[in-house]
Amino acid sequence: MSATSSTSWLRVRTVARRHAYVLQRAPQRWFDVVFWPVVDAILFGSLGVYFSRTSGTGPKGVAFLLAGIILFHVVFQAEISLATGFMEETWSRNLLNLMVTPLTEFEFVAGVALFGLAKLLMGVGTVSIVALALFAFRITDVGIALIPIIAILLIVGWSIGLVVIGIILRVGQGAEILAWGLIALIMPLSGVFYPVTALPGLLQPLAAILPTTHAFAAARDVVAGHALPWDQLALAAIGSVITAVLAAAFVTRMLRVFRSRGFISRHT
Amino acid sequence: MSSGQTVLRATALVKRYRRTLAVAGVDLSVDPGERVGLLGPNGAGKTTTLMMLLGVVRPDEGVVEIAGHTLPAERSRAMAHVGFAAGYLPLPERLRVREFLTLFAKLYGLAHPGPAVEEALDRFGIAHLAANMGNELSSGQRTLVGIVKATLHRPRLLILDEPTASLDPDVAHKVRAGLARICAEDDTALLVTSHNMTEVERLCQRVVFLSGGRVVADGSPDEVAAFFGRDDLEGVFLHLAETEGERAR
């Protein structure tokens, strides 16, 4: 795969189709798009109900937690679909087959991300439907302010996915656990369900540099019925672009190392 | 042969892995319709050379040009003219044979690959496997499907790494006949590695022997055997394997 020739929409669609076959025939993959979304919606919805009753925050408490988990699934689904899309090719030892076709790196990532969008719709749709059915929380009531927030979270999710791919290219399949580990680290640091002031003081500066922190802060304001905080949104947008550029540079560098050191032998 | 006609031209390829010099200045060119065997004992540098020719491993020095496109800058355009199969590569799980071939045909730019897939399956006599899942096939059948995949888009250069290693003799014979036919009909150049010297003598018009990362012989099987004072390629192989072993000690 190389990044230099013109992009072929046919090849992008073909990669997406290949991963549709995988989802269609690998029941365990439905855990990410159905099982965990249902579990998360029930868990955080119930926690919200309990805390709203005990602390007297009312329906707002439920809304904070459910909006948080729904938006977190945007990051999670974007990241996990990209990372596992690449990992699928290493698991099935298909990497060499792909690398000797005209497929470029960009087309591969675009194809996996394209199908990842479909998985994201399924995963986020599942959380949203369960939240509506069991807790009468309608995410669409938050309004169109959600659109830029979702776009930012999508970019960050894909960026984390690229970083995971880069690390796997460099150190091999032993790094696969990071596909789930990195996102698990991002979740508490980003203040998905609480302001970063609730974090231990030592972690707050780290949280402040994450674009997800500002995206979730903006989302909480909107859920609370306030106007969209443009300053938080701007910080999140700038941060997400920087993250994406750094992630792309990192995976490009790791691919160069992969080719230079002949690491394909790990996958044949 | 002029450079305009040469399908593959590799010049002064060098590759080092930490303290090991895997390839030490390989020159190789293959012309249209030519069937070339790239041979050598384990550790001679065959696989590294193949991977550099395919753009998967980046050479430390040297240039690879395929169908007029230079790697790595024009890798995608170059690969549109290359078909590759390796006896050791499995088929991806969760795909039927026809789906696998259709996906790869599209990656090679065939927008409507149905007829090409059916024709390629017929060519190697495995049309009956089209609806099977990849993981239901024997290793020999998987190898055949891999070769079908490599020839779907009628490439100008076919690179096969140990293509018949897991095939029964009768199936291997069919594969050799199919490959020879493709080369003759389409003027496809073939570069093949194998440890089966009898097979190479039957299939290849020219052999290139590597030893210690260098080209040590290049010519017809008879010429190369005579150059080393041996009866056949197996004798040459054993001689070079012994030399390689002594070097390693």
Side-chain angles (χ1 to χ4, degrees):
Chain A
M1 295 181 275
S2 98
T4 49
S5 68
S6 58
T7 300
S8 157
W9 176 234
L10 175 65
R11 292 196 290 260
V12 172
R13 278 186 291 135
T14 301
V15 171
R17 183 73 187 95
R18 184 267 192 280
H19 288 279
Y21 281 128
V22 173
L23 183 65
Q24 188 182 326
R25 294 184 179 142
Q28 71 273 22
R29 291 298 168 76
W30 288 93
F31 266 68
D32 286 338
V33 291
V34 176
F35 183 80
W36 294 125
V38 169
V39 168
D40 283 344
I42 294 171
L43 175 66
F44 289 97
S46 304
L47 275 174
V49 169
Y50 173 70
F51 285 126
S52 64
R53 282 178 189 158
T54 53
S55 65
T57 55
K60 278 280 185 278
V62 185
F64 278 137
L65 287 183
L66 284 173
I69 195 63
I70 289 170
L71 291 175
F72 177 73
H73 264 273
V74 174
V75 192
F76 173 75
Q77 297 290 346
E79 187 268 344
I80 210 72
S81 60
L82 189 55
T84 57
F86 173 76
M87 279 148 52
E88 178 66 34
E89 306 302 359
T90 67
W91 293 331
S92 57
R93 290 168 61 203
N94 196 36
L95 212 50
L96 179 57
N97 271 330
L98 291 177
M99 291 184 83
V100 297
T101 70
L103 184 69
T104 66
E105 289 90 347
F106 177 79
E107 288 162 352
F108 176 77
V109 169
V112 176
L114 178 67
F115 184 65
L117 279 179
K119 286 174 74 177
L120 186 145
L121 282 175
M122 285 187 256
V124 173
T126 303
V127 192
S128 305
I129 289 167
V130 174
L132 177 64
L134 301 185
F135 303 101
F137 174 72
R138 194 187 299 271
I139 187 72
T140 50
D141 286 350
V142 179
I144 58 167
L146 273 183
I147 293 171
I149 295 171
I150 287 174
I152 288 164
L153 295 176
L154 199 55
I155 291 170
V156 175
W158 283 333
S159 302
I160 300 169
L162 285 178
V163 170
V164 171
I165 291 173
I167 296 172
I168 295 172
L169 284 171
R170 178 65 184 80
V171 304
Q173 287 175 279
E176 285 175 354
I177 190 67
L178 292 175
W180 293 269
L182 271 186
I183 200 81
L185 186 66
I186 296 291
M187 188 187 199
L189 286 176
S190 300
V192 174
F193 307 110
Y194 42 78
V196 288
T197 50
L199 283 170
L202 199 65
L203 295 176
Q204 289 182 20
L206 187 58
I209 61 171
L210 295 176
T212 42
T213 301
H214 302 286
F216 284 111
R220 271 195 306 278
D221 272 6
V222 173
V223 171
H226 304 134
L228 183 66
W230 289 100
D231 55 339
Q232 292 281 12
L233 196 68
L235 281 172
I238 292 166
S240 68
V241 170
I242 293 171
T243 305
V245 169
L246 291 176
F250 176 73
V251 77
T252 303
R253 170 78 187 139
M254 290 302 104
L255 190 64
R256 197 171 299 137
V257 172
F258 181 89
R259 287 189 196 281
S260 174
R261 299 200 187 171
F263 286 160
I264 188 64
S265 59
R266 292 170 172 168
H267 303 283
T268 55
Chain B
M1 192 68 66
S2 73
S3 68
Q5 289 174 303
T6 300
V7 181
L8 167 68
R9 181 181 297 279
T11 312
L13 293 182
V14 173
K15 188 67 201 174
R16 293 178 194 85
Y17 292 125
R18 297 184 185 272
R19 281 167 291 180
T20 306
L21 183 59
V23 175
V26 165
D27 294 310
L28 180 66
S29 64
V30 183
D31 292 331
E34 206 178 10
R35 303 194 301 267
V36 179
L38 183 65
L39 310 176
N42 290 332
K46 296 189 303 293
T47 301
T48 301
T49 301
L50 272 194
M51 291 299 118
M52 288 193 286
L53 299 179
L54 290 162
V56 179
V57 169
R58 183 167 294 207
D60 295 328
E61 295 170 33
V63 176
V64 176
E65 192 182 299
I66 293 173
H69 301 292
T70 306
L71 306 186
E74 297 175 283
R75 201 207 59 82
S76 179
R77 287 193 192 94
M79 287 305 117
H81 300 288
V82 179
F84 171 75
Y88 49 81
L89 282 182
L91 296 188
E93 292 175 12
R94 305 183 185 101
L95 286 177
R96 297 189 187 283
V97 168
R98 184 179 281 113
E99 292 164 351
F100 169 73
L101 295 173
T102 300
L103 290 175
F104 272 87
K106 288 183 176 179
L107 291 180
Y108 281 108
L110 304 180
H112 304 288
V117 168
E118 301 308 323
E119 185 191 332
L121 285 166
D122 276 339
R123 191 184 303 136
F124 287 94
I126 55 168
H128 59 288
L129 299 178
N132 287 40
M133 295 296 287
N135 55 4
E136 294 171 355
L137 305 180
S138 69
S139 60
Q141 289 171 329
R142 283 199 299 270
T143 303
L144 275 174
V145 173
I147 292 171
V148 168
K149 184 263 295 180
T151 60
L152 278 172
H153 57 301
R154 299 277 178 162
R156 291 178 63 187
L157 172 64
L158 194 50
I159 297 181
L160 304 177
D161 195 4
E162 299 285 353
T164 57
S166 55
L167 300 181
D168 291 337
D170 61 323
V171 182
H173 175 73
K174 282 183 195 167
V175 168
R176 282 193 298 274
L179 293 173
R181 200 164 57 244
I182 288 169
C183 293
E185 287 172 2
D186 296 349
D187 223 13
T188 302
L190 175 67
L191 181 65
V192 60
T193 72
S194 177
H195 283 92
N196 183 339
M197 296 300 111
T198 308
E199 172 180 272
V200 173
E201 282 167 347
R202 286 177 185 161
L203 181 62
C204 299
Q205 304 147 327
R206 188 181 135 212
V207 293
V208 176
F209 259 101
L210 296 182
S211 180
R214 291 182 171 80
V215 174
V216 293
D218 185 345
S220 71
D222 288 342
E223 287 170 349
V224 169
F227 176 77
F228 284 98
R230 310 286 153 165
D231 294 334
D232 51 25
L233 292 182
E234 185 148 336
V236 176
F237 187 96
L238 292 172
H239 165 71
L240 291 174
E242 200 175 316
T243 309
E244 198 86 42
E246 283 168 9
R247 186 184 297 124
R249 281 194 292 274

